[in-house]
Amino acid sequence: MSTIGFIGLGIMGKPMAKNLLAGGLSLVVYDVVSAAVDEVVAAGATKGTSPKDVAEKSDIVVTMLPNSPHVREVVCGKNGILEGTKRGQIVVDMSSIAPLASRELGAMLAEKGAEMLDAPVSGGQEKAEKGTLAIMVGGSEASYEKVKDILALMGKSTLVGELGAGQTTKLVNQTIVAINIAAVAEGMAFAKKAGVDPEKVFQAIRGGLAGSQCMEDKAPRMFEGRYNPGFRINLHIKDLTNVLETSRSLHMSMPLAAQLMEMFQNLAGEGHETLDHGALGLFYEKLNSLSLKK
Ligand code: NAD
């Protein structure tokens, strides 16, 4: 049976690693936070001492880290995966990072005979716990076939293209989600200012073309002022940074994504960076001196 390495045991990584253990897999785990490691070791995993150690002891290595610099550090830093990797190893990076970084790290691993797949997820902590994440995979079909059953313990995966394509798909998702939430907030603020109850507007239009999963989740939050995360604004800023850096390198214009970055920056500047991204409702409340609350 293959041994799986798992590096990055935060909000998402911890339940994902536990689902692999529950699926009967053998796991070697590592995180810079030792309490997180201890918790997953108590659930049946073996403790790794560094990314190098994890790579030496595993056939497949999964990483679930905050952003590109963290994945770079874990792959090519001192005692990194590159120092312990071997021919035929597959590194599945499930963090949301810049597509360019995925391709660069994949090239370094390929020089050692290993292969990288980028496999970012959508769904948040609850779906990570339930093993029902949406997983967007980039890389070779042959390597995807080898890890497909492992990914199935964490969610539903789709191979979308070459290495980097998974990250690009995630960035598309984050762009559309941010714009949708702002659209809901703008529409509801307009209703309020024009003297119509936003909650009645929501009930009237949710079944029509304007209805969406974003509206279903975020409109009630705006009416209740309930902005506990969820998906934190600082993570969405990180994703939009990757969107805009990528679009600028392609000389592509994304006016709406750029606007959303400004709105999130304003909220972060007001001290709201750890609130759910539905707090775009607060941005529109302040902009128009109104309250969306019931
Ligand atoms: P997190 O900050 O809770 O966890 C990241 C973990 O990585 C932490 O435990 C941290 O200690 C560890 N880490 C950082 N640097 C390290 C290093 N050099 N070596 C070893 N461990 C290191 O983040 P998260 O919420 O679990 O998110 C992980 C990724 O998943 C991010 O890219 C995020 O954008 C993405 N994501 C998050 C959510 C969500 O709802 N939280 C949803 C979808 C996708």
Side-chain angles (χ1 to χ4, degrees):
M1 191 178 64
S2 304
T3 297
I4 314 297
F6 205 113
I7 302 170
L9 304 167
I11 291 175
M12 299 294 284
K14 205 186 293 174
M16 289 160 70
K18 286 184 179 173
N19 282 334
L20 296 183
L21 287 170
L25 295 175
S26 155
L27 242 66
V28 186
V29 298
Y30 177 73
D31 193 293
V32 284
V33 177
S34 55
V37 175
D38 294 344
E39 190 181 325
V40 185
V41 167
T46 302
K47 186 176 185 164
T49 55
S50 66
K52 175 187 176 192
D53 180 50
V54 169
E56 280 171 349
K57 292 175 178 159
S58 319
D59 307 294
I60 292 163
V61 182
V62 178
T63 50
M64 191 51 168
L65 299 155
N67 198 6
S68 314
H70 310 85
V71 183
R72 260 186 223 287
E73 168 72 19
V74 162
V75 174
C76 33
K78 190 168 160 22
N79 289 319
I81 292 173
L82 272 180
E83 292 182 26
T85 194
K86 51 209 160 204
R87 186 157 286 283
Q89 187 165 60
I90 302 174
V91 176
V92 187
D93 178 35
M94 303 188 74
S95 332
S96 303
I97 70 169
L100 193 61
S102 287
R103 288 196 287 269
E104 281 170 14
L105 296 171
M108 289 183 208
L109 284 159
E111 280 176 24
K112 301 247 176 180
E115 194 181 332
M116 181 154 161
L117 295 174
D118 59 325
V121 308
S122 175
Q125 184 178 3
E126 196 185 317
K127 291 196 173 178
E129 285 165 0
K130 288 186 179 150
T132 56
L133 293 164
I135 308 171
M136 308 140 225
V137 190
S140 78
E141 195 145 2
S143 289
Y144 174 62
E145 285 301 320
K146 287 182 195 154
V147 303
K148 210 166 73 177
D149 292 346
I150 294 161
L151 296 179
L153 295 169
M154 297 182 275
K156 184 182 176 315
S157 69
T158 308
L159 181 67
V160 287
E162 296 297 314
L163 180 62
Q167 297 297 351
T168 302
T169 306
K170 172 72 182 178
L171 294 182
V172 170
N173 184 74
Q174 295 306 83
T175 302
I176 294 173
V177 166
I179 295 167
N180 255 288
I181 300 172
V184 171
E186 189 164 308
M188 294 307 165
F190 177 46
K192 186 72 180 248
K193 202 77 175 178
V196 182
D197 179 357
E199 207 169 352
K200 292 210 169 106
V201 171
F202 170 54
Q203 296 303 342
I205 68 173
R206 65 196 288 202
L209 193 54
S212 66
Q213 280 189 40
C214 277
M215 186 183 282
E216 289 298 316
D217 185 49
K218 306 308 177 191
R221 280 174 171 275
M222 292 171 195
F223 305 149
E224 291 160 30
R226 178 170 49 84
Y227 296 125
N228 60 307
F231 189 79
R232 296 191 308 266
I233 284 172
N234 56 10
L235 281 180
H236 219 135
I237 286 178
K238 182 259 299 184
D239 290 333
L240 284 178
T241 301
N242 288 334
V243 167
L244 295 171
E245 276 178 13
T246 307
S247 66
R248 280 163 192 168
S249 75
L250 296 168
H251 298 305
M252 198 231 155
S253 177
M254 296 186 72
L256 294 179
Q259 281 288 333
L260 261 299
M261 177 63 114
E262 296 307 307
M263 293 181 194
F264 281 133
Q265 291 292 358
N266 177 272
L267 286 165
E270 299 275 314
H272 301 315
E273 71 270 28
T274 57
L275 294 186
D276 183 74
H277 50 181
L280 280 166
L282 293 178
F283 176 86
Y284 278 93
E285 285 184 337
K286 199 169 166 221
L287 193 66
N288 295 289
S289 305
L290 54 81
S291 170
L292 290 170
K293 280 204 221 163
K294 285 185 273 200

